[in-house]
Amino acid sequence: MTTSESAATPDTDGTGPVVRTASGAVRGLRERGLSVFRGIPFARPPVGEDRFRAPRPPHPWDGVREAYAFGTPPPQETGFLGRTAQLPAPKDDDWLTVNVWTPDPDPAAGRPVMVWIYGGAFKLGHAGQPGYDAQHLAREGDVVVVTLNYRVGMEGFALWADAPANRGLLDQVAALQWVQENIAAFGGAPDQVTVFGESAGAGSVAALLAMDRARGLFRRAVAQSVPGTFFSADLARDLAAALAAEAGREPTAADLATVAPQRLTEAGAALGTKMARYTDRWGQVAPTTVPFAPVVDGEILPRTPWQALASGAARDIDLLVGHNRDEYRLFMVMAGLQDKITEELASATLRLYAPGGEAGELAYRSAFPDATAEQLFERVQTDWLFAMPSLRLAEAQHTGGGRAHVYELAWPAPGSDGEFGACHALDIPLLFGTYGADLGALLFPGGRPTPQAERLTSFFRRAWTTFARTGDPGWPAHDPHSRLVQVLDAEPQVAPYPGERTRLIWEGYDFTPSRLLR
């Protein structure tokens, strides 16, 4: 079926495009010039004897499987930043599925492939979220887009004594292996695969760059707001013990396998509300209320991404990486902390997160002499959590002999009279054009883009898809001398890195795994 045969509305009468995968044939839908396939298993359901195990190949099927609906989201918390997400009712245990948007499922087409990895603090998210509707990206960029589900929370990232670490990352590797084996039949080029993700998805992308198991599965990578929180094994084990205790169990897969998945998500949420009490034990991680992250276990993830890239592990992979100027503003506004940050709280936060403790506080106050307590509170957490990890990933790639292009999103969201600023996750609706979905509904009044937003969306989409096609998004690669980055504002421009005062404070700081303090 060619793009000229597209229908204005989905076909569900059995005449949609059929593609044969290694596990069986699937029938998709024609939607506004695209062929769309949803809910294709890339691994068997991780339940029963496969729970807390590495993913295994999917069971084959006979006949033609309807690929009309997204797969069941993995078990997860439903609360995020004070909001309650409505998840679709589980229809089966097929958590591990992929979705494909393609202009034409012609094996001869050989289009670039973009594989999206969602964020959500490694404890929530799924590929069926409306904000990740990839139709605009696939259609306007003339690329094949794949989105995938992976296990989150206790199912995917808690470190049990008798189960592999980083099961969520192993799910992503399995999905990328599925892409290598099957994407040509959907019109994609298996040697032109780009992984891209935001927040925890960007942390996943960074981890994949460092994983031997992911080598050869993609050619390019886009990391949007890389979190700096990777756990050491000792910290992960301690957090796992606390998570299991919330469920009344021992921290082993054998003991937890009989507990309903939803009960475990409740235990994870319960621990999150208590974590701030354990700063003396869990350090900087405790106030985040997020007990999950990739674990540098020495096997699945042998080193941090910064260490791996600096040693040349990804020198042959093109990298596009960046962050938003006011990342932490989202969390502040959603928690209602505006105008509530005292000098005492700002000082404590600076000493916890800035390099060197008290010396770091003095460095921030010297670099930003006119900043309010609220601005300092926000700035240091933006820098520690996302901005500096993202910049340092680009620097590590350069050190290791590779190439990285860097951006900073500086355009403030129009929602709430600009109160959000250029906050965390603003890049998602701008890239996908889903202004009224998920957090986009908060950031764009009425879910409608402004003319500036539409221009930025065009820039994002063109740069990202051009990078997927050529390895060059349209601006110079980053180097330690000029430090040129693409600043995405009302009028995008290439300029020296805007956060130079912050960069100098963090110069020489190593993003090592977060460790257990006592």
Side-chain angles (χ1 to χ4, degrees):
M1 180 176 289
T2 65
T3 53
S4 63
E5 298 175 282
S6 63
T9 57
D11 295 322
T12 57
D13 58 0
T15 63
V18 174
V19 169
R20 180 163 295 279
T21 75
S23 300
V26 292
R27 187 188 307 278
L29 303 172
R30 286 298 290 175
E31 296 178 359
R32 293 170 289 281
L34 298 172
S35 291
V36 184
F37 303 80
R38 298 180 175 92
I40 306 172
F42 67 83
R44 65 187 60 181
V47 297
E49 65 178 14
D50 290 324
R51 194 168 179 199
F52 302 122
R53 302 301 176 192
R56 299 171 65 192
H59 296 291
W61 58 86
D62 296 323
V64 179
R65 179 182 179 125
E66 291 184 350
Y68 298 163
F70 291 112
T72 297
Q76 61 193 266
E77 298 178 29
T78 55
F80 179 59
L81 302 179
R83 307 176 77 211
T84 300
Q86 296 297 320
L87 294 177
K91 57 182 181 295
D92 52 39
D93 294 323
D94 276 327
W95 308 341
L96 304 182
T97 57
V98 294
N99 317 291
V100 183
W101 286 257
T102 178
D104 184 6
D106 177 0
R111 287 180 170 85
V113 181
M114 300 184 70
V115 181
W116 172 252
I117 303 176
Y118 53 77
F122 300 103
K123 64 178 182 178
L124 50 92
H126 61 99
Q129 290 177 229
Y132 305 145
D133 183 349
Q135 60 167 311
H136 303 296
L137 199 59
R139 185 184 303 110
E140 296 176 27
D142 195 32
V143 296
V144 177
V145 182
V146 178
T147 66
L148 62 98
N149 279 352
Y150 62 95
R151 283 172 285 182
V152 295
M154 292 169 77
E155 302 290 335
F157 287 95
L159 184 59
W160 310 133
D162 53 344
N166 299 307
R167 297 173 296 280
L169 297 180
L170 293 177
D171 292 344
Q172 296 166 17
V173 169
L176 288 168
Q177 291 170 335
W178 182 94
V179 168
Q180 286 297 309
E181 189 172 7
N182 295 286
I183 205 62
F186 293 86
D191 62 345
Q192 290 281 335
V193 174
T194 297
V195 290
F196 68 127
E198 183 269 348
S199 194
S204 297
V205 168
L208 291 168
L209 289 168
M211 292 171 61
D212 293 338
R213 296 169 189 242
R215 201 170 306 282
L217 297 180
F218 56 94
R219 182 173 180 178
R220 301 185 176 102
V222 183
Q224 304 168 211
S225 303
V226 180
T229 47
F230 281 64
F231 292 169
S232 65
D234 60 347
L235 175 61
R237 279 191 291 267
D238 204 62
L239 284 163
L243 287 162
E246 289 290 340
R249 297 300 178 105
E250 294 297 317
T252 66
D255 196 31
L256 289 159
T258 59
V259 181
Q262 187 55 43
R263 174 70 188 95
L264 293 191
T265 67
E266 294 166 358
L271 180 64
T273 65
K274 304 173 184 176
M275 285 180 64
R277 307 174 192 172
Y278 299 98
T279 303
D280 61 338
R281 186 172 183 83
W282 297 331
Q284 295 169 320
V285 169
T288 68
T289 73
V290 179
F292 307 106
V295 181
V296 183
D297 66 314
E299 181 184 353
I300 306 300
L301 183 59
R303 295 173 289 178
T304 68
W306 302 274
Q307 292 170 325
L309 267 61
S311 69
R315 66 164 60 97
D316 296 327
I317 297 176
D318 299 319
L319 176 62
L320 171 57
V321 59
H323 63 84
N324 303 348
R325 185 189 60 198
D326 311 313
E327 297 270 9
Y328 201 75
R329 191 70 188 170
L330 174 70
F331 307 101
M332 286 189 61
V333 173
M334 296 302 293
L337 294 177
Q338 314 95 294
D339 304 319
K340 295 180 182 178
I341 307 302
T342 63
E343 284 293 342
E344 291 75 18
L345 180 55
S347 287
T349 304
L350 285 164
R351 293 180 185 188
L352 179 62
Y353 291 114
E358 290 186 22
E361 178 188 2
L362 292 175
Y364 265 90
R365 291 191 181 277
S366 176
F368 302 95
D370 299 323
T372 64
E374 180 177 309
Q375 290 169 336
L376 290 169
F377 177 88
E378 174 196 329
R379 182 73 262 157
V380 72
Q381 293 190 84
T382 286
D383 295 338
W384 170 75
L385 190 52
F386 296 114
M388 291 302 100
S390 299
L391 181 64
R392 295 300 291 275
L393 195 70
E395 293 174 348
Q397 177 73 333
H398 184 274
T399 298
R403 184 177 65 173
H405 297 264
V406 179
Y407 72 90
E408 179 182 274
L409 175 58
W411 182 77
S416 299
D417 297 322
E419 192 171 38
F420 287 99
C423 69
H424 189 63
L426 173 59
D427 45 317
I428 295 175
L430 286 173
L431 174 61
F432 285 95
T434 49
Y435 311 102
D438 304 336
L439 283 174
L442 288 177
L443 304 177
F444 294 90
R448 294 184 296 273
T450 64
Q452 287 183 351
E454 290 180 321
R455 289 196 296 272
L456 268 178
T457 289
S458 295
F459 190 100
F460 258 106
R461 200 170 289 155
R462 182 173 61 254
W464 265 233
T465 56
T466 298
F467 177 79
R469 183 168 282 106
T470 68
D472 185 345
W475 62 86
H478 191 74
D479 71 72
H481 305 294
S482 64
R483 301 191 185 281
L484 294 178
V485 306
Q486 177 67 61
V487 180
L488 296 166
D489 209 334
E491 296 294 335
Q493 62 174 326
V494 176
Y497 182 63
E500 184 65 7
R501 286 182 290 176
T502 290
R503 187 196 69 78
L504 289 172
I505 294 172
W506 289 80
E507 194 168 34
Y509 180 86
D510 289 329
F511 282 93
T512 57
S514 300
R515 298 191 177 279
L516 185 66
L517 299 185
R518 64 174 181 85

